[in-house]
Amino acid sequence: MKRRTLSALLAAALALSLMSGGALAADAAPEPEEKNPAEAYIPDPEGTVTFQNLERRMREGNLQIRSLQENVDILEELDYDKLQENLRLQLNQMAQAQWMMVQMGQSGTLAYERMDQAYDSVRDQFDAIKDGDMQEDNAETVRQLQNLQNQILMAGEATYVALSAMELQEDGLERQLAAMDRKLTELQLRYELGHISSNTLKEAQAGRSSLNSGLATLRMNLNTYKGQMELLIGAELTGEIGLAALPAVPLEDLAAMDLEQDLAKAKEASWNLFQATETMEEARKDYNNMGGDAAQEYRQKETSYKQARHNWLSAKYTYEDTIQNFELSLRNQYLKVQDYQQILDASKISLEVKEDSYAAAKLKYEQGAVSVNTLLEAEDERDAAREAVSSAANDLFSAYNTYRWAVDYGIIN
């Protein structure tokens, strides 16, 4: 176990045991910074949730995030000066107790050895605070806990995006079902007139049944995912929560994307890269302590030396592989945003064409030149084009939001 992990656990345990003795600072830790801070918070109507308020509601209502925050608070509220003083007093008390045991002829006894071990343990903690090691290690632990919080928040946002896509799909299936019902009415009439066979009618009816079954399954999944969303924000579990539309991505935000600058920022924020760097540095120090490359000729047969070298090289290659995969993932996410942007632009152009076609069909219908079914088909095509625009806008938002998580917090999906 790494020393920083051990010291973090010891610090947390000491914080809990010394809390009643005033070893903790009185001031509360600052609230965690939100990813999307709102200028003016407008609560969601009951039974609904908006994407803009999602992070805040998860921080307030998600039990996993709140549990992690309690652990963050334990470490951030530590008063290291008071903790060090408490440890100093403990060391003095144990030293006096050891001296009394020596005076009583108990040196070398099992009780004396245990006291000596306890003294060394407290001394290690005292030195860790004095040297700043415990503060540094606990800061790393806080960063790791906050990274876990961010991953839960990101999962919540991904769930919201998935629900938005499913609701669009539900609208599309309902539209297809309505069109199928119109078609079945026409086919039924044609069948009664003897223009089509019963088999043709049955095939259409089977298609309608399959479509309706798919819609029922989709609604079941919607209820399941909405229940998950309610759990994520700590709302009542009904599976019926309403979602507001996803926000649009501002064009200026898309134009401001700079892959090279964003990559540098993402690397700095990444917990995984930080971990890989720490592991490599520890392995390198162990290897250098045994002489490093300079000692390879005369120590290459020693098992401990060879293991240290293998550990260092393994950590080095793992670090380089982590860097390469991180860079590739961010680059691919950047390209995905650009692709979804052009898909949205193309969808808007297609919608304009369908809008014009519907307007022309409506005029012809009013003039008696086309049937009502022809008008409704044009309307379906226009609505399908609208859904395509909404879907493309959601895909663009999802890709850009994922990109921002990578850049701002170093979390690659």
Side-chain angles (χ1 to χ4, degrees):
M1 178 182 292
K2 290 185 179 180
R3 183 182 177 186
R4 64 171 181 273
T5 303
L6 179 58
S7 65
L9 293 174
L10 289 171
L14 280 169
L16 292 172
S17 63
L18 299 175
M19 188 174 293
S20 59
L24 301 184
D27 295 335
E31 291 294 322
E33 181 180 350
E34 292 188 10
K35 184 169 73 74
N36 297 308
E39 294 181 0
Y41 176 65
I42 302 176
D44 298 326
E46 187 175 354
T48 67
V49 61
T50 60
F51 190 88
Q52 290 84 345
N53 290 344
L54 179 60
E55 178 180 352
R56 176 168 180 160
R57 293 187 64 177
M58 288 185 66
R59 288 192 182 278
E60 293 175 350
N62 185 276
L63 297 179
Q64 287 181 312
I65 290 178
R66 293 181 64 179
S67 176
L68 289 168
Q69 187 59 42
E70 292 298 327
N71 286 280
V72 169
D73 292 343
I74 287 173
L75 297 178
E76 289 190 334
E77 291 174 4
L78 272 173
D79 187 321
Y80 291 100
D81 291 336
K82 290 183 178 180
L83 185 55
Q84 186 176 13
E85 177 63 16
N86 183 278
L87 293 172
R88 186 186 67 79
L89 293 174
Q90 289 185 42
L91 288 172
N92 289 340
Q93 291 171 358
M94 284 190 284
Q96 292 174 5
Q98 283 182 301
W99 174 244
M100 291 180 61
M101 294 175 73
V102 170
Q103 295 288 349
M104 297 172 62
Q106 295 183 12
S107 59
T109 63
L110 179 61
Y112 185 89
E113 290 179 2
R114 287 181 175 174
M115 179 67 73
D116 201 42
Q117 292 172 359
Y119 182 93
D120 291 341
S121 176
V122 175
R123 180 72 196 193
D124 286 343
Q125 297 169 41
F126 180 87
D127 291 340
I129 297 175
K130 183 183 67 174
D131 299 336
D133 292 338
M134 184 181 288
Q135 294 91 319
E136 181 182 349
D137 296 346
N138 288 345
E140 292 178 11
T141 302
V142 167
R143 179 175 176 179
Q144 183 180 20
L145 292 170
Q146 291 174 338
N147 180 69
L148 292 173
Q149 288 180 316
N150 286 331
Q151 290 188 35
I152 297 172
L153 290 168
M154 186 177 180
E157 293 187 357
T159 300
Y160 194 107
V161 171
L163 277 168
S164 298
M166 292 168 71
E167 288 188 336
L168 275 176
Q169 188 179 0
E170 181 185 30
D171 292 340
L173 288 176
E174 288 175 345
R175 177 180 49 77
Q176 293 176 42
L177 196 59
M180 178 65 77
D181 286 340
R182 293 197 306 270
K183 181 179 180 181
L184 279 172
T185 299
E186 178 184 347
L187 289 175
Q188 181 67 39
L189 178 59
R190 293 177 63 189
Y191 170 71
E192 292 173 356
L193 295 173
H195 295 167
I196 61 172
S197 66
S198 61
N199 189 53
T200 300
L201 179 60
K202 289 179 180 178
E203 287 179 354
Q205 290 171 338
R208 199 262 183 205
S209 178
S210 177
L211 190 62
N212 191 54
S213 175
L215 180 58
T217 298
L218 177 62
R219 286 172 174 165
M220 181 275 294
N221 288 329
L222 266 169
N223 187 276
T224 299
Y225 274 79
K226 285 188 174 184
Q228 183 69 27
M229 175 56 65
E230 290 162 347
L231 181 66
L232 286 168
I233 63 176
E236 182 182 0
L237 301 180
T238 65
E240 298 177 356
I241 192 168
L243 273 66
L246 287 171
V249 183
L251 293 177
E252 56 268 27
D253 289 350
L254 294 172
M257 292 174 65
D258 185 307
L259 182 57
E260 294 304 318
Q261 292 183 9
D262 289 344
L263 181 59
K265 183 178 179 181
K267 286 180 177 179
E268 185 69 23
S270 171
W271 168 255
N272 288 340
L273 292 186
F274 174 81
Q275 250 187 335
T277 302
E278 288 288 290
T279 301
M280 180 182 68
E281 286 302 312
E282 288 189 2
R284 182 184 63 81
K285 288 178 183 177
D286 290 341
Y287 178 57
N288 286 343
N289 287 339
M290 301 190 72
D293 290 340
Q296 187 171 2
E297 288 187 12
Y298 61 89
R299 299 194 64 177
Q300 59 183 344
K301 293 183 178 180
E302 296 181 17
T303 301
S304 58
Y305 175 81
K306 289 192 292 183
Q307 288 179 342
R309 177 175 172 79
H310 287 315
N311 288 338
W312 171 66
L313 290 175
S314 175
K316 177 176 179 290
Y317 297 145
T318 298
Y319 167 78
E320 292 172 352
D321 179 69
T322 303
I323 286 285
Q324 288 179 351
N325 280 283
F326 188 90
E327 292 178 348
L328 179 61
S329 296
L330 188 68
R331 180 178 180 274
N332 289 343
Q333 192 62 40
Y334 176 88
L335 294 174
K336 185 180 291 186
V337 173
Q338 310 306 312
D339 187 48
Y340 280 130
Q341 183 179 8
Q342 67 85 15
I343 291 175
L344 176 58
D345 292 340
S347 299
K348 288 179 178 179
I349 294 174
S350 179
L351 175 58
E352 291 176 1
V353 174
K354 297 300 181 182
E355 293 277 13
D356 291 342
S357 297
Y358 172 71
K362 185 177 180 181
L363 179 60
K364 290 180 180 180
Y365 173 75
E366 292 171 349
Q367 294 172 346
V370 298
S371 67
V372 65
N373 279 351
T374 300
L375 175 63
L376 291 175
E377 287 174 2
E379 185 178 27
D380 281 343
E381 291 179 358
R382 180 206 61 185
D383 291 344
R386 287 178 177 176
E387 290 167 10
V389 170
S390 297
S391 179
N394 285 1
D395 287 341
L396 175 60
F397 176 83
S398 177
Y400 180 76
N401 191 55
T402 301
Y403 182 79
R404 291 314 315 174
W405 271 108
V407 173
D408 298 332
Y409 295 93
I411 300 178
I412 295 291
N413 186 12

